[in-house]
């Protein structure tokens, strides 16, 4: 039986997508208020689990069940191009799932529970019968939770060895909601194939301009809520910095909305960068609040 080249395996697992959950896990660690002294092995393992394992699993699962769509949108991908022959895409998805669970089990119940939840979402997002990605509202919500909220919660819970502070949970939730907009922009690259194969992504449902406007709104409103929360919690400097980052996003959003389909990828490389920088600022703002108690 033909076997895939290592380069095809790496491409299937999409390392570029690992950054978001790894970053969110790091934000969770920072926001926990706990000292990392003596915890570095666990932190490193958690970062690896969030990115090269759980996130990579989700990419393999998605590519396998999207192979017919990718044949239209991205025929050069490993599976439709034949560089990942036979059922190797499915074997990799299943193997990476098992490997993720083994590593998560070794790291303790909090990480195992979060990893299991994330892996379940990864499979039901792409695989029938649920295949959440068939509707952009549900599919983007699942991905946003897996990429932002869940790893943030996991990082904070591991460091605190308990349920994180309610303010940490609130900020993680808000940035998860905002990530729904990022996922919507990510769907712009596959509008044609989605429409032809019955996947009702938001660009398909609302049109590219309507989806872009919604994405901008969904990204902006949670950040405004974070800013208001930080001012309420007496962290005005952090709130101001996030406000300036949001102002930069507004400027970039105007350019995005002038040509949404052509500039969606550009915005995900510019405006989204400002978004995730705000996440780290918020995490540092939360740290002394958590240390100081209610």
């Amino acid at each position: 039986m033909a076997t895939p080249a290592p380069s095809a395996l790496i491409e299937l697992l999409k390392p570029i997508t690992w950054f978001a959950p790894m970053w969110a896990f790091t934000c969770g660690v920072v926001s926990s208020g706990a000292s990392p002294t003596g915890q570095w092995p666990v932190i490193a393992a958690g970062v690896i689990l969030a990115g090269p394992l759980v996130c990579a699993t989700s990419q393999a699962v998605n590519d396998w069940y999207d192979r017919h769509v990718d044949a239209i949108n991205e025929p050069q991908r490993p599976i439709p191009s034949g560089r990942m022959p036979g059922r190797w895409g499915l074997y990799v998805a299943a193997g990476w799932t098992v490997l993720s669970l083994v590593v998560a089990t070794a790291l303790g119940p909090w990480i195992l529970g979060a990893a299991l939840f994330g892996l379940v979402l990864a499979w039901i997002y792409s695989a029938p019968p649920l295949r959440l990605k068939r509707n952009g509202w549900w599919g983007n919500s699942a991905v946003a939770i897996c990429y932002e909220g869940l790893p943030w919660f996991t990082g904070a819970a591991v460091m605190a060895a308990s349920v994180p502070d309610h303010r940490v949970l609130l900020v993680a939730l808000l940035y998860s909601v905002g990530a729904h907009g990022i996922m919507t922009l990510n769907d712009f690259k596959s509008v044609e194939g989605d429409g032809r194969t019955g996947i009702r992504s938001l660009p398909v449902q609302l049109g590219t301009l309507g989806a872009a406007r919604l994405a901008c709104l969904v990204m902006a409103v949670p950040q405004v809520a974070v800013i208001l929360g930080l001012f309420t919690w007496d962290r005005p400097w952090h709130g101001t910095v996030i406000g300036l980052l949001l102002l930069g996003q507004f400027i970039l959003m105007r350019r995005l909305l002038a040509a949404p389909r052509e500039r969606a990828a550009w915005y995900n490389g510019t405006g989204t960068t400002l978004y995730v920088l705000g996440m780290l600022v918020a995490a540092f703002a939360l740290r002394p609040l958590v240390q100081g108690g209610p």
Side-chain angles (χ1 to χ4, degrees), residues 25-242:
F25 183 91
T26 302
C27 288
V29 169
V30 171
S31 69
S32 70
S35 171
T37 302
Q39 296 271 42
W40 288 113
V42 174
I43 294 171
V47 170
I48 292 170
L49 183 67
L53 292 178
V54 174
C55 182
T57 298
S58 73
Q59 298 303 324
V61 173
N62 186 63
D63 267 30
W64 173 253
Y65 288 104
D66 260 11
R67 59 195 185 279
H68 305 303
V69 180
D70 285 343
I72 300 171
N73 292 321
E74 299 179 274
Q76 76 282 1
R77 292 290 304 154
I79 296 176
S81 70
R83 291 179 293 119
M84 182 71 62
R87 299 176 68 85
W88 267 101
L90 180 60
Y91 300 153
V92 171
W96 240 252
T97 299
V98 173
L99 179 60
S100 298
L101 289 174
V102 169
V103 173
T105 300
L107 293 174
W110 282 107
I111 292 186
L112 175 60
L116 184 60
F117 181 71
L119 290 167
V120 168
L121 281 180
W123 280 89
I124 67 174
Y125 171 78
S126 297
L130 292 180
R131 195 159 163 75
L132 296 179
K133 73 171 298 174
R134 284 183 297 196
N135 188 297
W137 296 104
W138 292 107
N140 290 355
S141 298
V143 176
I145 291 171
C146 282
Y147 274 39
E148 304 295 356
L150 184 62
W152 189 313
F153 168 85
T154 306
V158 166
M159 298 301 292
S162 64
V163 177
D165 182 272
H166 67 281
R167 290 160 293 198
V168 173
L169 295 177
L170 176 60
V171 170
L173 175 62
L174 288 169
Y175 277 111
S176 284
V177 173
H180 189 286
I182 299 173
M183 298 305 115
T184 297
L185 293 180
N186 192 53
D187 287 336
F188 276 56
K189 69 179 184 296
S190 56
V191 174
E192 180 183 353
D194 288 348
R196 288 168 59 182
T197 56
I199 295 178
R200 301 182 69 244
S201 67
L202 293 183
V204 171
Q205 293 186 48
L206 306 176
T208 53
L209 180 58
R213 287 172 173 167
L214 176 68
C216 291
L217 180 66
V218 170
M219 286 185 285
V221 171
Q223 292 180 84
V224 172
V226 170
I227 293 167
L228 294 175
L230 293 179
F231 274 91
T232 300
W233 300 326
D234 196 28
R235 309 302 296 169
W237 289 109
H238 296 82
T240 300
V241 171
I242 296 175

